[in-house]
Amino acid sequence: MLLRHTTAAVAERSALTVNPAKTCQPIGAMYAALGLNGCLPHSHGSQGCCAYHRSTLTRHYKEPVMAGTSSFTEGASVFGGQANLVQAINNMFTIYEPEVIAVHTTCLSETIGDDLPQIISKARDDGKIPARKFVIHANTPSYVGTHVTGYANMAKAMVDYFAEKNGVRSRAVNIVPGFVEPSDMAEIRRIAGEMGITPILFPDTSNVLNGPLTGKFAMYPEGGVTVSELTRSGSSKATVALGRLAAGPAARAMDVKCKVPCHILDLPVGLKKTDEFVDVLRQLAGVQVPDSLEVERGQLLDVISDMHQYLHGVKVGIVGDPDQLIALTDFLVSVDMIPVHIVTGTPGKKFEKRIREIVKDVPHRVNVSAGGDMFLFHQWVKNEPVDLMIGNTYLKYIARDEDIPLLRYGFPILDRVGHSYFPTVGYRGGIRLLEKILDALLDRKDRDSPESGFELVM
Amino acid sequence: MSQIEVLKDRKSQIHLKGSEPFEMTCDRHSLSGSVSQRACVFCGSRVVLYPIADALHLVHGPIGCAAYTWDIRGALSSGPELHRMSFSTDLQETDVIYGGEKRLYAALTQLIDQYQPKAAFIYATCIVGIIGDDVAAVCSRVSREKGIPVLPVHSEGFKGTKKDGYRAACDAMFKLVGREDTADVSPFSINILGEFNIGGEAWIIRKYYEKMGVQVVSVMTGDGRVGEIGRSHGAALNVVQCSGAMTSLAEMMQKEYGIPFIRVSYFGLEDTAKALYDVARRFPDNPEILTRTMDLVKNEIRAIEPDLKEYRKDLEGKRAAIYVGGAFKAFSLIRALKTLGMEVVLAGSQTGTDEDYRILEQMCDEGTVILDDANPVELSKYVIEKDADLFIGGVKERPIAYKLGVGFCDHNHERKIPLAGFIGMYNFAKEVHSTVTSPVWKFAHRRRRV
Ligand code: SF4
Ligand code: SF4
C-alpha cells in the first residue's frame, strides 16, 4: 500500500497540504505561452523552478519543452533580477531567435518585487529587443492561486500586449480555450469551422505540443496563434471564453480594452455544455447548426441511450481543475451517474456554489472541496467508496490501494498517451469520455462478476 | 540545422577532443537566458534525502516545489513509505508578508503527532530564504518538544546548483550520524553512500557485500532508515558511489570519526568488479573476503556474458551521446558502452568539475564533443552532426532524442529498472539494444536518408 499512511479519520488541517491536487502558477503560464507562435517562455527566477516546469510539461506531453530562465543567484535575490533579465532577453534574441519572449515571474522574483514592465522597457531602451520582436509578461506568484491562474494570466497578457482595435469590426470571432489539451484546442477550432467561423484561437498549443516525429528538432514548432492574429483580435466581433477561471480573464480584458463583447461559457464537455457553445457560435455566425454537427450530437446521444443502464447510479469521485470539474460534473449528472466526492486544489468560493447547483437533484450526499488535496480525497473515498475515479495520474496511488478503476483526465497525465491527440471536448469528445468511462467500468465488471452474471453482449 | 550557433559565452564550456588544447570552464553558474537542463539546490537535497523512508520530509515553501518532487524517484523501500507522500506548508500571500514560521510550526507538529517519524527534514525553498524565516529555530524548538531530530535543510534554490544541494543534504544527515549504539557492528563493515535504491539497486549491491562477508551498516540513502544512519559511524569504511552526491558526508565522517572512504561505481562489469575488489582488499585481516569476492565476480559475470555477447553483435560500432547529471556517471557509462562495442561521440554533464572533464577527455576518442551544462539546441546539433544512434540522458532529453529519430535510455531518476551491479549491466545492455535496434527508427526521416 503506497498510501498506507492515509488515515480514514478526517482532521482539520490549516497549515499543511498533503499530496497536492494543484501545482504552481508558472507552469500554467509556460503552457499558455507555448500556444503563441514562435514564442520562447521565460521563467524569471532561479533555475530550479524552470527545470521542474519543463520536466513536468515534458512528462505530460512527451514533447520537448523549451524555456529560458533568469538563473537567479544570491546576488540577484538581494539586488533584484533586472540585470539577469535584461541579459537573458539579449541572449535569447541573439541565439534562439524567438518572435516573442513571454516572461513569467516565480515566487522568488515576486517576493523580491521585481517590476517587470519597467525591466522590459529598460531592455527596449537599451536596444536589446530587435525590431518587430516582442517581450510580454505575466505576474505569476505561486502563493496566490494555482497553475490554472497562471494560464489565465498569460492568456490575458496576450490581450494586454497585442490586441488592438482598428475601428472596423471584423467578422472574426476570438475563442479563448481554458487549460485544455492541444487536441481539445484543435477540436474547438474544428467545431467553429463547421459553423463557418474561422476563429482567432488563443492560446493554441495544437501542433506545438502534439507534433510529429520529423527527424529534426524544432525550437519553435508550427502551431500557435501569431502576433498578427492577436493584434487583429481587438477588432473581432466577439470573444468566446471556454472555462470561466482559465479563459474568462482574457475575454474580459479584451472587452475592457477593445470593447469586443465577450461570452464566458463553461468548457464544452458533454452534451449540454457543448450545446451551449454551439448555440453561441450559431448566434454569432448567424447560421443554422449544420447537419454535420447535428449528426455528431445525435451520435453522442445514441451512445448514452445504448449504454445508459451501465451508467445509472454509478458512484464517481473526481479530482481536477475547476473549469473541468464543473463541466464534467454536469455531464456525469446528465448521464445519471452520481459524483459523490469532488475535489479541486484551486481555492474559490464560487466553485462550490456552482457544483452544489449542478448536483442539487442528485439523490446522494455530495462532498465538495475547493482548495482540498488528494489526501482529503482519499480519506473521503475510504469513508465512502466509489465505483470509478476520474482525475490526473496521481490518483493511481489511491486507485491501486483501494482497488477502484481510474480514468485519467486532467493535468498532469504522466503515464498514458492519447490526451494530446484525442479531444474530450465537443460531441465527439463526449463520446470518447463515455467510451473511456464504460471501458473502465465494464472491464471491471467482466473481471469481477460471478460466472452467472458474466455477459457476452453488453 | 547545420549552422547552429553557440552562445559566445558558452564556448568555453564546450570542447572538441583533438581540435584544441583542453581547457574548459565549468562549475559556473548558468548564463541568464540559457535554456539550461540544470536544476536547483533544493532538487539536489531532495533527491539525496528522499529515500530515507521512515523520516518526514516537509517542503517549506509554496506548493510548486513540493508538487514537482512528489514521488519523482523510483527509490524503493522495504518498509515504511512515508517518503512517498508529499507534504508542503503551501505558503500563501499572507505568509509571504508576515513570515511562515507559525505555519511551519503548526504543520510540523501536526505531522509528527500523526506519523511518529524517526526524524524530520525541513527543506527551505527560495522564498523562505527571502522572507527570512528562521527555519533552524523552529526546528530546534519542535525537536525539543517532540524528542526527535528535526533537521533544517538549507536548500534555497538560488544559492547555487544541484551540487550545493547535495552538500546541504549531507550537512543535515551528518547530524543524525553518531546517535545510536554501535556495539554489534563488525570490524568488517561498511556504509554504502550515494546509492538510492532506484529499482532496488541498493538491495542488489547490499547482497553482494553480504555474500562477501562484509557487514553493511547503512545504505545512504537507498531504503534508508534513520536508525541505521545513526550507527553508521561504527563502520570501518565508507564506500561512496557517484562522486557528486555524497562525498561531503564521507569527508565529514572521516574528519569526525576517522572513517576512511573510497570512491566506486557499480555501473558496468569492470567498475562493479573493481568496487567489490577494492572493498575486499580493505580487509586484509580476513582473506576469506577476497576469496569469496573472486568467486562472486566470476559467477556473476559468467551468468550474463553469453547474453552480453549476443547484444554486442548488434551494437558494435554504434554511436552514443551521453548527457547526465554528474560526470562520474559519464565515466562509467563510457566504459560500459565500450563493453558493448559502442563508440561515444558526445559526453556531457550538468555539474562536472574541471578534474572530471579532464578525465572525460582522456577517456574519449578523438573527435568526441565534451559539454558542460548544455542546452537543447547544442545537444541536438551535436547528436545530428555526430549521427548518434543512442542518447543517454534524463527526462528533458528523451523527447528531443525521439524527435531526432534516435534511441534513448534513461539513466536518471525516472527509470525503474536497476542498472547497478552485474545484473544491472545485463539490464542496461538489454535496454540499449531494444531502443537502438527498434524498427521505429527506420521510419524516421533523418535515418531514412542515410
Ligand atoms: S518557487 Fe514558486 S514558482 Fe518556483 S516551483 Fe516553487 S512554487 Fe513554483
Ligand atoms: S523555488 Fe527555488 S527551491 Fe523551489 S524549485 Fe524553484 S529554484 Fe528550486
Side-chain angles (χ1 to χ4, degrees):
Chain A
M1 296 267 276
L2 290 167
L3 299 182
R4 70 186 66 158
H5 304 286
T6 303
T7 47
V10 179
E12 186 61 37
R13 279 180 285 133
S14 59
L16 174 65
T17 295
V18 184
N19 301 346
K22 62 173 176 181
T23 185
C24 63
Q25 280 211 48
I27 199 168
M30 192 182 279
Y31 177 58
L34 290 165
L36 181 52
N37 183 263
C39 176
L40 186 61
H42 181 84
S43 167
H44 186 49
S46 347
Q47 270 184 342
C49 309
C50 185
Y52 282 135
H53 303 147
R54 287 176 55 208
S55 295
T56 304
L57 290 173
T58 292
R59 289 178 179 124
H60 178 89
Y61 295 104
K62 311 228 178 298
E63 291 285 315
V65 170
M66 295 302 118
T69 158
S70 295
S71 299
F72 270 40
T73 54
E74 271 187 272
S77 45
V78 175
F79 303 112
Q82 168 161 320
N84 291 57
L85 185 51
V86 171
Q87 193 205 358
I89 289 172
N90 186 38
N91 280 337
M92 289 191 285
F93 277 126
T94 318
I95 300 306
Y96 303 118
E97 300 182 325
E99 296 301 312
V100 186
I101 294 171
V103 186
H104 60 261
T105 54
T106 61
C107 300
L108 181 57
S109 51
E110 282 291 333
T111 311
I112 299 168
D114 275 353
D115 179 355
L116 287 199
Q118 181 264 322
I119 300 178
I120 293 170
S121 72
K122 167 141 180 38
R124 170 154 292 118
D125 294 345
D126 291 358
K128 308 289 190 202
I129 306 177
R132 289 186 300 282
K133 303 260 176 163
F134 307 90
V135 179
I136 69 174
H137 92 281
N139 289 94
T140 51
S142 308
Y143 42 79
V144 185
T146 63
H147 56 293
V148 185
T149 330
Y151 178 94
N153 287 342
M154 188 52 84
K156 177 174 171 294
M158 294 179 191
V159 176
D160 293 342
Y161 274 89
F162 295 121
E164 279 170 22
K165 64 171 174 203
N166 60 9
V168 195
R169 280 269 162 259
S170 75
R171 300 192 47 222
V173 173
N174 306 323
I175 302 181
V176 187
F179 195 146
V180 292
E181 300 291 338
S183 53
D184 293 321
M185 297 190 182
E187 179 67 358
I188 288 165
R189 180 187 293 283
R190 187 190 67 87
I191 292 171
E194 294 287 321
M195 306 287 299
I197 292 171
T198 312
I200 297 177
L201 187 75
F202 70 91
D204 180 5
T205 58
S206 60
N207 294 326
V208 179
L209 288 166
N210 56 357
L213 191 163
T214 54
K216 280 191 230 113
F217 165 68
M219 192 84 187
Y220 309 104
E222 258 166 45
V225 66
T226 62
V227 169
S228 90
E229 283 177 304
L230 281 175
T231 312
R232 277 184 277 127
S233 68
S235 309
S236 295
K237 74 170 161 195
T239 304
V240 180
L242 300 172
R244 284 164 211 270
L245 207 61
R252 274 193 297 274
M254 185 74 86
D255 195 344
V256 171
K257 185 179 178 190
C258 301
K259 302 284 167 298
V260 178
C262 64
H263 305 260
I264 299 180
L265 308 177
D266 291 321
L267 277 176
V269 172
L271 189 76
K272 272 196 306 185
K273 295 292 169 194
T274 306
D275 282 350
E276 287 170 21
F277 174 46
V278 169
D279 197 48
V280 167
L281 291 182
R282 181 186 60 78
Q283 290 168 28
L284 288 173
V287 295
Q288 296 275 342
V289 177
D291 288 349
S292 58
L293 281 181
E294 288 291 3
V295 169
E296 288 172 24
R297 183 178 191 281
Q299 287 170 329
L300 171 57
L301 212 47
D302 196 58
V303 174
I304 300 172
S305 75
D306 285 345
M307 303 305 274
H308 71 274
Q309 73 269 37
Y310 294 105
L311 301 169
H312 164 78
V314 170
K315 287 197 273 178
V316 192
I318 42 182
V319 180
D321 298 332
D323 290 340
Q324 273 81 353
L325 289 186
I326 285 170
L328 187 63
T329 305
D330 183 87
F331 185 42
L332 297 181
V333 170
S334 77
V335 297
D336 210 13
M337 297 174 86
I338 303 179
V340 291
H341 309 304
I342 303 172
V343 169
T344 179
T346 304
K349 289 203 187 68
K350 275 195 207 133
F351 174 77
E352 182 167 350
K353 226 177 109 206
R354 290 221 50 211
I355 295 282
R356 292 274 169 224
E357 183 72 14
I358 295 167
V359 299
K360 67 178 189 301
D361 294 327
V362 169
H364 199 282
R365 203 179 96 95
V366 180
N367 288 319
V368 185
S369 171
D373 53 29
M374 297 254 181
F375 188 80
L376 174 69
F377 180 80
H378 193 177
Q379 291 181 312
W380 282 352
V381 169
K382 278 185 183 294
N383 289 307
E384 162 135 38
V386 291
D387 306 304
L388 175 71
M389 298 194 299
I390 304 179
N392 70 32
T393 287
Y394 287 104
L395 274 185
K396 77 193 274 183
Y397 297 113
I398 303 173
R400 184 182 160 98
D401 284 1
E402 308 297 335
D403 194 23
I404 298 170
L406 166 64
L407 190 165
R408 284 163 181 78
Y409 178 76
F411 181 86
I413 295 173
L414 310 169
D415 59 343
R416 294 292 188 275
V417 291
H419 46 277
S420 358
Y421 304 105
F422 304 109
T424 54
V425 298
Y427 300 120
R428 286 187 180 176
I431 295 178
R432 175 160 182 266
L433 266 178
L434 277 183
E435 180 200 9
K436 295 209 130 208
I437 288 172
L438 287 160
D439 277 351
L441 291 173
L442 300 183
D443 281 351
R444 183 59 61 124
K445 188 169 153 53
D446 283 344
R447 191 192 81 177
D448 292 349
S449 46
E451 273 183 37
S452 56
F454 183 76
E455 307 167 84
L456 175 68
V457 182
M458 289 170 130
Chain B
M1 188 51 65
S2 57
Q3 273 306 304
I4 300 172
E5 255 191 90
V6 166
L7 277 175
K8 190 150 41 60
D9 290 5
R10 291 251 328 130
K11 284 250 167 75
S12 61
Q13 280 166 283
I14 301 170
H15 173 75
L16 187 68
K17 171 148 181 182
S19 66
E20 57 212 311
F22 180 81
E23 198 175 326
M24 266 181 89
T25 323
C26 51
D27 234 351
R28 69 188 248 176
H29 208 80
S30 298
L31 215 54
S32 295
S34 274
V35 180
S36 164
Q37 311 289 78
R38 271 185 185 171
C40 66
V41 183
F42 166 67
C43 181
S45 297
R46 190 84 168 98
V47 296
V48 166
L49 296 175
Y50 167 79
I52 303 176
D54 57 352
L56 176 77
H57 301 267
L58 173 61
V59 181
H60 185 35
I63 196 65
C65 314
Y68 302 119
T69 52
W70 178 10
D71 205 21
I72 39 160
R73 297 192 106 181
L76 304 179
S77 163
S78 53
E81 301 268 14
L82 199 53
H83 66 307
R84 304 191 77 160
M85 307 275 276
S86 168
F87 300 115
S88 166
T89 49
D90 194 355
L91 292 180
Q92 299 299 305
E93 195 159 21
T94 45
D95 307 308
V96 172
I97 299 166
Y98 300 110
E101 291 175 22
K102 269 211 196 94
R103 206 176 167 92
L104 175 60
Y105 177 81
L108 199 45
T109 47
Q110 186 171 17
L111 283 170
I112 292 174
D113 288 345
Q114 187 166 357
Y115 294 111
Q116 307 287 327
K118 296 287 188 305
F121 293 104
I122 314 307
Y123 302 81
T125 58
C126 284
I127 202 170
V128 171
I130 298 296
I131 61 180
D133 279 359
D134 190 344
V135 177
V138 177
C139 286
S140 58
R141 176 174 164 207
V142 176
S143 181
R144 263 194 323 273
E145 290 175 12
K146 301 291 174 191
I148 60 161
V150 179
L151 307 165
V153 185
H154 299 286
S155 53
E156 292 88 343
F158 59 85
K159 289 193 172 160
T161 64
K162 208 167 161 180
K163 262 204 225 161
D164 301 287
Y166 299 151
R167 211 162 299 139
C170 289
D171 288 344
M173 228 187 313
F174 187 60
K175 301 206 180 90
L176 291 176
V177 176
R179 301 175 83 100
E180 306 279 334
D181 184 36
T182 58
D184 61 341
V185 174
S186 140
F188 311 110
S189 59
I190 59 166
N191 296 311
I192 300 176
L193 274 71
E195 175 51 68
F196 304 109
N197 205 29
I198 311 248
E201 291 182 334
W203 296 332
I204 296 172
I205 302 300
R206 188 180 196 128
K207 209 166 275 156
Y208 292 156
Y209 287 121
E210 283 166 2
K211 277 191 189 159
M212 287 157 55
V214 173
Q215 184 191 5
V216 176
V217 184
S218 91
V219 182
M220 295 188 250
T221 53
D223 197 12
R225 298 293 180 276
V226 173
E228 285 184 359
I229 298 171
R231 56 194 213 117
S232 61
H233 61 298
L237 178 69
N238 276 334
V239 184
V240 190
Q241 132 125 324
C242 169
S243 67
M246 289 185 82
T247 314
S248 74
L249 182 65
E251 283 164 358
M252 286 187 273
M253 287 177 75
Q254 182 169 41
K255 208 162 150 226
E256 181 82 19
Y257 300 102
I259 305 174
F261 69 90
I262 56 171
R263 291 182 186 195
V264 301
S265 158
Y266 302 111
F267 187 72
L269 301 182
E270 289 171 48
D271 286 18
T272 305
K274 182 171 183 307
L276 302 184
Y277 284 132
D278 283 354
V279 171
R281 287 199 192 93
R282 286 284 178 149
F283 300 111
D285 300 347
N286 188 343
E288 271 179 43
I289 292 180
L290 189 58
T291 324
R292 280 192 290 256
T293 307
M294 283 151 81
D295 284 345
L296 180 133
V297 171
K298 200 164 57 198
N299 292 338
E300 293 283 339
I301 292 186
R302 196 180 290 153
I304 58 167
E305 226 169 16
D307 289 319
L308 289 186
K309 276 208 184 104
E310 280 304 306
Y311 289 133
R312 191 182 160 120
K313 273 188 208 150
D314 294 331
L315 295 175
E316 192 90 59
K318 299 271 193 222
R319 290 167 299 274
I322 301 175
Y323 187 74
V324 286
F328 211 65
K329 201 186 269 172
F331 306 155
S332 291
L333 279 167
I334 292 174
R335 279 192 284 267
L337 289 166
K338 283 191 177 152
T339 311
L340 297 176
M342 294 180 71
E343 188 190 323
V344 174
V345 292
L346 180 158
S349 89
Q350 292 173 24
T351 56
T353 62
D354 184 54
E355 196 198 326
D356 292 337
Y357 288 115
R358 272 176 205 286
I359 301 174
L360 252 191
E361 106 110 13
Q362 276 163 21
M363 292 179 74
C364 292
D365 299 324
E366 222 46 18
T368 304
V369 179
I370 299 176
L371 288 171
D372 176 54
D373 186 22
N375 66 50
V377 179
E378 290 163 1
L379 287 175
S380 62
K381 164 186 155 83
Y382 292 118
V383 165
I384 292 174
E385 275 181 21
K386 296 285 169 186
D387 197 20
D389 302 283
L390 172 71
F391 196 112
I392 299 181
V395 52
K396 290 193 287 293
E397 288 82 50
R398 181 191 290 269
I400 297 176
Y402 289 162
K403 278 278 183 274
L404 300 175
V406 173
F408 184 85
C409 170
D410 194 329
H411 206 278
N412 231 320
H413 35 241
E414 205 93 327
R415 71 200 155 84
K416 298 286 180 268
I417 21 163
L419 298 181
F422 301 105
I423 186 70
M425 181 63 200
Y426 166 77
N427 293 336
F428 176 70
K430 187 170 155 199
E431 191 170 323
V432 167
H433 183 266
S434 81
T435 188
V436 169
T437 60
S438 168
V440 68
W441 310 130
K442 285 198 210 112
F443 301 100
H445 305 248
R446 188 173 70 82
R447 316 295 287 179
R448 213 166 38 193
R449 254 191 289 122
V450 200

